[in-house]
Amino acid sequence: MELEITDEDLRFEEEVQRTPYKVTAWQRYLGHKQQGDFRTLAVLYERALQRVPFSYKLWKQYLDMRRQRLVGKNPLHWSEDYRKMELCYERALLYLRKMPRIWLDYCGFIMEVPDVSTIRRVFDRALRALPVTLHERVWQVYLGWAARVGGVTGKRVWS
C-alpha cells in the first residue's frame, strides 16, 4: 500500500528523506500522522523500521499500536490479524532479541492464543534468548500461565 502524501506531510517527508536513519525524524512524522487511519500509520511504521530496524522505540510503539487493535477480539475469529501480530513480534525479535520488554509483551500476547505448544515455545525461546539475570521476569509470567492452564502442561513447566 502506498502512502498518500498531503501538503502538510511534505515537510516531514522531506525530513525523513534527508535523514532516513534518524529516529527522531520518523517520530515527528508519526506524531504528525497520529490521528490518521491504521493502515497509513502501519505503512509509515514499516517504512521507518526498514531504515532503523534496531530502534526499540519505533518497534515498541508499532507493536503497541497493532496490539491495541486486537484488544477484546477473539483470537479464533480474528486469527489472520493475530497471525500478523505474531509475525510482527517475530520480526521485532530478529533485531531486538535481548530486549526483555519485547519478549514479555510477546508472551503476554501469545497467551491469548489457544495453542499451548506455541505459548510454551515462545516462553522457552525467551528464556534462551535473554540473559539469566532477566529470567525471573519471564518465569513469573510463565509460571502464572502454567498454574492457570494446569494439567500435564502445568506440571511440565513446574518440573
Side-chain angles (χ1 to χ4, degrees), residues 27-41:
Q27 285 184 309
R28 278 193 285 276
Y29 197 178
L30 288 159
H32 166 70
K33 289 296 230 182
Q34 203 59 48
Q35 301 308 318
D37 62 53
F38 172 78
R39 290 194 195 296
T40 301
L41 280 169

Side-chain angles (χ1 to χ4, degrees), residues 117-130:
S117 297
T118 300
I119 296 167
R120 284 194 63 195
R121 268 187 243 118
V122 170
F123 274 109
D124 291 343
R125 284 178 47 219
L127 289 168
R128 281 193 304 273
L130 294 171

Side-chain angles (χ1 to χ4, degrees), residues 7-126:
D7 289 339
E8 296 95 40
D9 299 342
L10 279 178
R11 178 176 64 129
F12 299 100
E13 191 64 39
E14 288 171 356
E15 184 181 14
V16 298
Q17 293 296 322
R18 267 194 323 272
T19 56
Y21 303 107
K22 195 171 181 182
V23 174
T24 54
W26 287 105
Q27 285 184 309
R28 278 193 285 276
Y29 197 178
L30 288 159
H32 166 70
K33 289 296 230 182
Q34 203 59 48
Q35 301 308 318
D37 62 53
F38 172 78
R39 290 194 195 296
T40 301
L41 280 169
V43 168
L44 197 52
Y45 271 110
E46 290 289 342
R47 279 182 58 202
L49 290 166
Q50 285 177 353
R51 297 293 187 193
V52 280
F54 292 97
S55 170
Y56 170 80
K57 278 185 178 180
L58 289 176
W59 274 113
K60 180 75 169 112
Q61 290 170 353
Y62 183 42
L63 294 168
D64 287 348
M65 179 194 77
R66 288 193 71 100
R67 190 166 175 191
Q68 187 61 39
R69 287 198 63 199
L70 295 175
V71 170
K73 293 184 178 175
N74 185 327
L76 296 174
H77 292 90
W78 295 86
S79 60
E80 186 176 326
D81 289 339
Y82 269 80
R83 180 69 184 139
K84 286 178 185 176
M85 184 73 227
E86 188 178 336
L87 292 173
C88 279
Y89 273 114
E90 291 292 339
R91 279 192 309 136
L93 290 168
L94 286 174
Y95 300 105
L96 305 171
R97 67 184 188 88
K98 297 288 185 194
M99 291 291 181
R101 184 75 261 160
I102 301 291
W103 278 110
L104 290 170
D105 287 354
Y106 187 21
C107 290
F109 165 75
I110 207 71
M111 286 190 301
E112 299 172 18
V113 177
D115 183 359
V116 173
S117 297
T118 300
I119 296 167
R120 284 194 63 195
R121 268 187 243 118
V122 170
F123 274 109
D124 291 343
R125 284 178 47 219

Side-chain angles (χ1 to χ4, degrees), residues 116 120 123-124 127 139 141-147 149-159:
V116 173
R120 284 194 63 195
F123 274 109
D124 291 343
L127 289 168
W139 276 114
V141 179
Y142 197 6
L143 294 175
W145 171 79
V149 170
V152 174
T153 301
K155 287 179 185 175
R156 288 250 170 119
V157 170
W158 279 93
S159 60

